[in-house]
Amino acid sequence: MIMVELQQVSRRYGAVQALAPIDLQVRKGEFVTLLGPSGSGKTTLLNLIAGTVAPSTGRVLIRGEDVTHSPPSRRELGMVFQNYALMPHMTVFENIAFPLRVRRLPKPEIERKVREVLELIRLPDVAQRRPRELSGGQQQRVSLARCIVYNPALILLDEPLGALDKKLREHMQLEIRSLHAELGVTMLNVTHDQDEALTMSDRIVLMNEGRIEQQATPAQLYSAPVSVFAADFLGTANLIAGEVSEQSDGWVTLATQVGPLRARVPAAGASPGTRATLVVRPEAIDVVRGDTLPLADQVAVEGTLRDLIVLGSVLRYHVRTAGGQDFVAQQQNHRRHADMQRGMPVRLIWAAEDGQLLA
Ligand SMILES: Nc1ncnc2c1ncn2[C@@H]1O[C@H](COP(=O)(O)OP(=O)(O)O)[C@@H](O)[C@H]1O
Ligand SMILES: [Mg+2]
């Protein structure tokens, strides 16, 4: 079942096209993240679904019903924002009970539900405190509780963890994720943080300048980006620009500043003469001594080791070629790097299979 459907929905603010006409479907029970840089239209898209912004064109359907012209209160969804928007003069109990009071539930039922939801967010003992007597993470949990207490089938989250420090943010990501699984609720989350999107989502909708660049599972988006923007936004990517010089048997050779490089023919094809970019992820690249020869199915590039950084369990190599192209390679940290010195000539080697060509 489809929970949310956007049909050619767009939004313009004067001369600014905040959102180009887009189509999007969110299935019931799915956790979808809108990911993209600041200004890419994420909040606009979320607000169009919430009903706080009206579309310039198109239709918004929730549970199959056309709600394009319905006010937010009629859409039966919950919203959680970065600034917790808790009412400071009310206790935690009163804050969470508020949406139930608005819905005129009987008092004993309100008490039971608030207690249940405080258990669920693992803050059973703070009911009588005021928001300012809680930490940022606790306040964010309370605002989440206030949203889930009336069981909305759809929850929209706009950078809900943006104000928290890294440790707490990571912890909350997992908590929201398990709440999502426990409640079976549909969640649509907005973030500019790729790690958050990768951690939490069933599906990521990558946005760029008011358009959907790509939508895919986290694993697909990382391993098969459809554009340089997508490859570069998610994770680290070595990007090598060039021109296709030949194509045969499913392989192409790309003439680049660092020499000819082999890669698989992309799905879209690539005829000789076309400009293309080769994407190689850092973990696909092995850094070896300059006198090590590549195997037949490998691609090799020569350079100088500029830096070798130990990031706990991983090692990161920074290598520059004679022509000035910088590469990043990343490997598990083990003892083999002991003979690697800054300034020494090295070879970057990757399986031709691991390079991805984008036209
Ligand atoms: N109320 C508004 N008035 C004018 N321009 C707006 C308004 N809201 C958003 N925009 C513009 O629309 C674009 C997308 O904004 P937004 O959806 O907030 O992006 P994001 O949430 O991805 O950072 C931006 O260029 C922004 O300046
Ligand atoms: Mg925003």
Side-chain angles (χ1 to χ4, degrees):
M1 182 197 157
I2 305 298
M3 178 59 76
V4 180
E5 179 164 9
L6 304 182
Q7 298 174 345
Q8 290 294 298
V9 168
S10 73
R11 173 68 201 204
R12 179 175 275 288
Y13 291 104
V16 179
Q17 181 89 45
L19 204 65
I22 63 157
D23 293 315
L24 178 69
Q25 290 190 342
V26 179
R27 288 185 296 279
K28 187 168 178 290
E30 207 178 6
F31 194 115
V32 173
T33 295
L34 305 177
L35 173 68
S38 176
S40 58
K42 307 180 297 294
T43 295
T44 301
L45 179 45
L46 209 66
N47 288 338
L48 283 162
I49 297 168
T52 51
V53 164
S56 305
T57 65
R59 298 206 306 158
V60 179
L61 288 82
I62 298 180
R63 296 174 204 86
E65 188 193 336
D66 188 336
V67 296
T68 313
H69 303 291
S70 307
S73 59
R74 294 279 304 281
R75 301 190 181 198
E76 291 170 63
L77 48 81
M79 260 197 110
V80 182
F81 304 95
Q82 177 172 339
N83 51 347
Y84 324 118
L86 295 172
M87 285 166 275
H89 56 286
M90 289 186 184
T91 63
V92 166
F93 182 93
E94 289 163 340
N95 263 286
I96 299 176
F98 186 77
L100 302 178
R101 295 227 165 94
V102 171
R103 287 170 174 76
R104 298 181 188 288
L105 264 69
K107 216 171 158 195
E109 201 180 332
I110 292 181
E111 297 212 342
R112 181 179 57 78
K113 287 197 176 220
V114 172
R115 206 167 311 116
E116 271 177 19
V117 86
L118 280 170
E119 289 283 346
L120 197 63
I121 59 159
R122 295 197 270 122
L123 285 177
D125 305 320
V126 303
Q128 294 316 314
R129 292 204 212 159
R130 315 248 166 215
R132 66 164 188 281
E133 296 165 333
L134 301 175
S135 71
Q138 289 172 328
Q139 289 184 51
Q140 192 53 284
R141 278 175 21 223
V142 171
S143 61
L144 205 62
R146 187 183 53 181
C147 173
I148 59 185
V149 73
Y150 57 93
N151 277 330
L154 172 63
I155 297 180
L156 309 179
L157 307 116
D158 193 354
E159 311 244 6
L161 310 179
L164 307 180
D165 65 54
K166 186 168 153 48
K167 262 248 156 68
L168 192 54
R169 203 161 64 221
E170 289 173 355
H171 177 73
M172 287 294 292
Q173 287 167 7
L174 298 176
E175 285 210 352
I176 293 177
R177 183 79 195 145
S178 68
L179 266 181
H180 168 257
E182 230 165 296
L183 301 173
V185 63
T186 308
M187 286 185 170
L188 193 52
N189 179 46
V190 160
T191 186
H192 61 271
D193 178 2
Q194 47 159 311
D195 291 331
E196 180 175 320
L198 290 169
T199 305
M200 299 178 78
S201 323
D202 296 321
R203 186 154 57 99
I204 296 174
V205 175
L206 181 62
M207 303 201 47
N208 179 20
E209 295 182 341
R211 294 175 301 102
I212 295 178
E213 185 81 16
Q214 185 174 3
Q215 37 176 322
T217 64
Q220 284 167 345
L221 197 57
Y222 186 76
S223 63
V226 297
S227 63
V228 170
F229 175 85
D232 207 24
F233 196 81
L234 214 73
T236 306
N238 293 290
L239 302 171
I240 313 140
E243 190 180 304
V244 175
S245 60
E246 54 175 284
Q247 174 179 342
S248 68
D249 293 336
W251 293 92
V252 294
T253 303
L254 191 70
T256 75
Q257 190 228 57
V258 298
L261 303 177
R262 254 156 58 85
R264 281 246 180 243
V265 175
S271 40
T274 12
R275 307 277 321 157
T277 301
L278 185 65
V279 179
V280 190
R281 293 293 187 190
E283 64 274 17
I285 302 179
D286 213 3
V287 181
V288 295
R289 298 174 56 95
D291 52 10
T292 312
L293 294 173
L295 304 172
D297 56 355
Q298 292 177 328
V299 176
V301 169
E302 278 161 44
T304 304
L305 183 60
R306 306 214 355 128
D307 215 342
L308 191 159
I309 301 164
V310 181
L311 295 163
S313 62
V314 297
L315 274 179
R316 187 175 296 161
Y317 299 86
H318 291 268
V319 173
R320 182 169 292 175
T321 66
Q325 166 113 23
D326 286 319
F327 281 84
V328 180
Q330 196 160 296
Q331 294 294 320
Q332 289 304 309
N333 188 4
H334 49 68
R335 261 186 292 170
R336 205 200 51 191
H337 68 278
D339 59 347
M340 290 294 207
Q341 311 283 344
R342 271 197 201 98
M344 75 185 266
V346 290
R347 267 212 171 95
L348 298 160
I349 292 184
W350 65 88
E353 200 70 68
D354 288 340
Q356 200 194 342
L357 202 63
L358 296 172

